[in-house]
Amino acid sequence: MGDVLTGFHTVWEFDTDSVLIRFERGIRTPKLLQVLGERRIPYEALAAVEQAPGRHGTVVLRAVARAGADPLVDAADGQLKEGNDPYRLVLPAERALLAEYFAERIRAELGPHAAEPAERHLVAAPVPPLSFKAYDGKASFDGSAVSFRWFWTGASSAKWKAGDQRFGLEELSGVQWRSPDADGGHLRLLRRGADGARPAPADQDPAAVVFGRGYGLVHESLPFAAAVLQAVRARPDRPAPCPVPAARPDPGGIADRIRHLGELHRAGLLTDDEFSTKKAELLAEL
């Protein structure tokens, strides 16, 4: 596409097959976004694009990742605060029509499987080596194994007894991240063969590190969790996911999108041919 849409602290650069999301490094930009720097999001990794009024005279354009397409979104599991959402672009309210124009252009690029979970990660996670300090130990990931080194000031006797830990990717089935912004924040490694077993509390589990005030911060622990999750799921010996039935299109949602196209057409942002083509594409989804 070659166009650029600039918002507060975030810029979306559109290409033919993806959108490059760049984050500023200013003091008002959340630290997680500063750490991420930029992310290239293929259109096939998206399920939808939403637009809504924001606070203080703004409009919010938000892309929605397909389930299973982005390891960061999968690891966060809906726990991120608005300001940390890497798929969110905030613009002045007077640019609402322009935002809708770009939203429709992205929607036109969504593939036939946009409503279905992705079979593999399509967005890159941060690259190891990575490490961060938790309350009870230091977590490190070198690309092939995760290591926990316990701190005598915070680790429980159970963890001291078990000793420092090292888990190869072949031992893991996933990760569980619980935000440090909530009670009980932790990072737990999910081990193969342990499905259905009740895990020990995070402070007693040698496969988990505990967060705390000033430890396991979102901008440190979440990129770590995403990198581990992506590496685990990329292993060739990982079992294939069970197929999930495709969701039926929502007729009401398609009708709303056609109304939006009409508004763009009347405003002169879509030609007659573009309007007719995109309307026909939406009707074909029913």
Side-chain angles (χ1 to χ4, degrees), residues 169-173 190-194 232 235 237-239:
L169 293 177
E170 68 280 359
E171 303 175 57
L172 306 177
S173 63
L190 305 179
R191 289 177 281 188
R192 292 190 176 190
V232 168
R235 284 187 55 80
D237 57 345
R238 180 175 176 267

Side-chain angles (χ1 to χ4, degrees), residues 107-109 254 276-286:
R107 291 183 186 118
E109 299 292 336
I254 290 178
S276 298
T277 299
K278 293 180 180 180
K279 180 179 178 180
E281 290 174 354
L282 290 172
L283 291 173
E285 296 181 19
L286 293 174

Side-chain angles (χ1 to χ4, degrees), residues 137-160:
K138 180 179 180 179
S140 303
F141 177 47
D142 62 7
S144 62
V146 179
S147 300
F148 293 154
R149 180 171 60 83
W150 307 122
F151 296 156
W152 68 270
T153 53
S156 64
S157 57
K159 291 184 176 180
W160 272 114

Side-chain angles (χ1 to χ4, degrees), residues 176 186 188-191 194 196-202 204-205 208:
Q176 180 188 69
H186 65 268
R188 189 192 306 271
L189 303 178
L190 305 179
R191 289 177 281 188
R198 184 180 180 85
Q204 302 295 315
D205 186 356

Side-chain angles (χ1 to χ4, degrees), residues 132-139 148-151 153-156 159 176-189 200-217 220-221:
F132 71 92
K133 287 185 178 180
Y135 174 73
D136 55 358
K138 180 179 180 179
F148 293 154
R149 180 171 60 83
W150 307 122
F151 296 156
T153 53
S156 64
K159 291 184 176 180
Q176 180 188 69
W177 181 79
R178 292 294 175 262
S179 175
D181 293 334
D183 292 338
H186 65 268
L187 173 72
R188 189 192 306 271
L189 303 178
D203 64 336
Q204 302 295 315
D205 186 356
V209 288
V210 176
F211 303 154
R213 189 176 184 84
Y215 294 95
L217 300 175
E220 297 175 340
S221 60

